[in-house]
Every structure is written in C-alpha cells, then in structure tokens.
Amino acid sequence: MDEDSLKQFMQQHISNYRNSVLEIVRNNTTVLVDEDITSLFKEPPLDSMDFLKVKILGLAKKNKIIFNTVALNQILSSYRFNVLKCCSKLKKIRIDFFTNKIKKIDLDSKNSIIRINKKDFVTINREFKKVMKEQLAKSFESCVIKKIDSIFPDDVDEKVKDSIVSELTKYFKGTYQRQVLENYDIKIMVKDTILINSTKEQSDHYLFTIKNSRLLNDI
C-alpha cells in the first residue's frame, strides 16, 4: 500500500474513533436525560411516594379542609410535564459541550487520545443544575401556585389559604427542592463516571488497534 493510501487509512481510523466517542456521548446523555432525570418527575406508582402531593394533602388535613383531588392531580400533572420541558435543553447543553471538546482534540500523533476527566464536568454540571433549578421554580409558580385556587372549597378563609400557600412554598424551596436536586446530582454523577470509563475503553481499543495493526505501524 502506498504512503497516501496508508495515511488515508489512518485518517479513517481516527475518524471512526472520534465518531465512536461522540456516539458514546450522545447515548450516555440521552439515557441520563430521557430515563434518569425524567424518572425523578414521572408520576409515582403510589401516592405515598409523591412527596409534593403528600405535603399538600397533609396541609389540608392539618387545616381540616377537603381539597378537590381531581384538580390537585391535574395541577401536579401539569407541574411534572412543565418541569420536563427543559430536557431537550439539557441534552443540547451536554452534547454540544463534549462535541466541541472532542472535535478540537488533535489526534494526528499516534499516542494522542480523547480523554474525558472529572474536571470536564464542573462547568457543564453547574449549568445543568442552574437550568433545572430555574425550571423547578418556574413550573411550581406557574402550574401549582397560580392554579392552587382550584383545589380549595369555595368557603375557605383567605387567611387559611394564604397560610397553606406560604407553608407549601417554604416546603418546596427547602426540603422538596433539596431532595430532588440531591437525587438529580446522583443520577448525573453515575452517568459522568460511565462516560469517563466508556471513553477510556474506546481509547484503549483505538490504541490497541494502532499498536497491533501492521498497516498502521507502517505509517
């Protein structure tokens, strides 16, 4: 094989390697967002697992009020749906970030590889959490607080209603949001680790092929 053909062969090998890592990033991110993060906001199989609903019903019991459960289910469904509207944005942020990084890596040297390290996730995960916190707050305000009148009986005292809304808001901004974001962080940490290891495996395979290919070693 002549020198130009060998170089072309090597470039194809590099291209395949880079594209494989990009595919790993896309798949890893899709599972993270569409399965892991989405699972945090899907309607739980049991009412006792729906912390927001449990809190609202607890406030009703505490104040000796019977809420409209049909309306309550509707606003909670709307809240979940609204929170998940940020999923496409999250996917784009993460995929674009690593795509840009990977495409800039010079692989012309035989020993050059694509590395993804823990420090690479610092900026992207900070942006991720910012987007999620903003979406949580916006969804709670627009889908729960602004629609909450629909769950109250007509004869409820306004002071009682204001007290319930205040206590619910305090719970949402404190315990609820903290628990959601802690679980959110765990999901992300697991997928970050998988992405690091999967990229390393692909890089090891790439280097092994170069080392053991007679054609590539002839370049």
Side-chain angles (χ1 to χ4, degrees):
M1 188 178 290
D2 60 42
E3 185 176 347
D4 287 342
S5 296
L6 285 171
K7 287 182 179 179
Q8 187 176 2
F9 187 72
M10 183 63 185
Q11 287 303 311
Q12 185 61 50
H13 183 56
I14 290 172
S15 178
N16 290 342
Y17 167 50
R18 199 190 304 271
N19 288 333
S20 294
V21 177
L22 288 171
E23 185 65 19
I24 288 170
V25 168
R26 285 191 289 268
N27 290 338
N28 177 276
T29 302
T30 297
V31 173
L32 168 62
V33 176
D34 291 352
E35 296 181 21
D36 296 344
I37 292 175
T38 298
S39 71
L40 296 174
F41 301 102
K42 285 183 176 179
E43 185 173 359
L46 300 174
D47 280 351
S48 60
M49 299 168 66
D50 190 337
F51 300 118
L52 205 51
K53 186 174 185 178
V54 168
K55 180 64 178 179
I56 293 172
L57 292 176
L59 290 171
K61 185 176 180 180
K62 176 182 174 181
N63 290 275
K64 298 181 174 58
I65 298 172
I66 298 176
F67 282 155
N68 181 332
T69 54
V70 173
L72 175 58
N73 288 333
Q74 287 174 342
I75 66 174
L76 290 177
S77 293
S78 175
Y79 163 75
R80 294 188 189 96
F81 177 78
N82 209 271
V83 169
L84 293 174
K85 283 183 178 180
C86 70
C87 283
S88 58
K89 183 176 182 179
L90 292 176
K91 274 197 284 192
K92 188 175 188 312
I93 289 171
R94 197 168 189 265
I95 290 173
D96 285 355
F97 176 84
F98 284 110
T99 296
N100 291 334
K101 172 185 169 60
I102 290 164
K103 286 185 174 180
K104 288 177 182 177
I105 295 174
D106 183 1
L107 296 172
D108 286 339
S109 168
K110 286 186 180 180
N111 294 319
S112 303
I113 59 170
I114 297 168
R115 290 185 178 88
I116 294 179
N117 303 306
K118 285 185 179 180
K119 65 180 181 180
D120 294 321
F121 295 98
V122 174
T123 301
I124 196 72
N125 287 346
R126 189 184 298 123
E127 179 69 13
F128 246 50
K129 183 170 280 190
K130 179 184 175 185
V131 170
M132 180 52 71
K133 286 179 74 173
E134 289 175 350
Q135 191 69 22
L136 281 169
K138 185 168 67 174
S139 300
F140 180 72
E141 180 64 28
S142 64
C143 300
V144 179
I145 297 303
K146 286 188 176 180
K147 304 288 180 62
I148 203 162
D149 277 351
S150 65
I151 72 172
F152 286 100
D154 294 335
D155 59 350
V156 174
D157 186 278
E158 287 298 321
K159 288 184 179 179
V160 173
K161 188 185 296 186
D162 290 344
S163 175
I164 289 174
V165 171
S166 176
E167 195 168 342
L168 177 60
T169 302
K170 183 179 178 181
Y171 169 75
F172 176 84
K173 291 181 177 179
T175 302
Y176 175 81
Q177 185 168 260
R178 184 176 66 252
Q179 289 176 339
V180 167
L181 293 175
E182 283 174 355
N183 288 326
Y184 179 79
D185 285 341
I186 291 170
K187 301 283 189 187
I188 290 175
M189 182 178 66
V190 170
K191 281 299 179 290
D192 287 353
T193 302
I194 291 173
L195 181 56
I196 290 170
N197 293 336
S198 298
T199 302
K200 184 179 182 302
E201 288 176 8
Q202 192 65 42
S203 297
D204 289 344
H205 177 71
Y206 167 74
L207 290 176
F208 177 85
T209 303
I210 291 177
K211 183 179 179 181
N212 293 276
S213 168
R214 183 184 61 78
L215 286 175
L216 293 177
N217 273 292
D218 286 343
I219 297 176

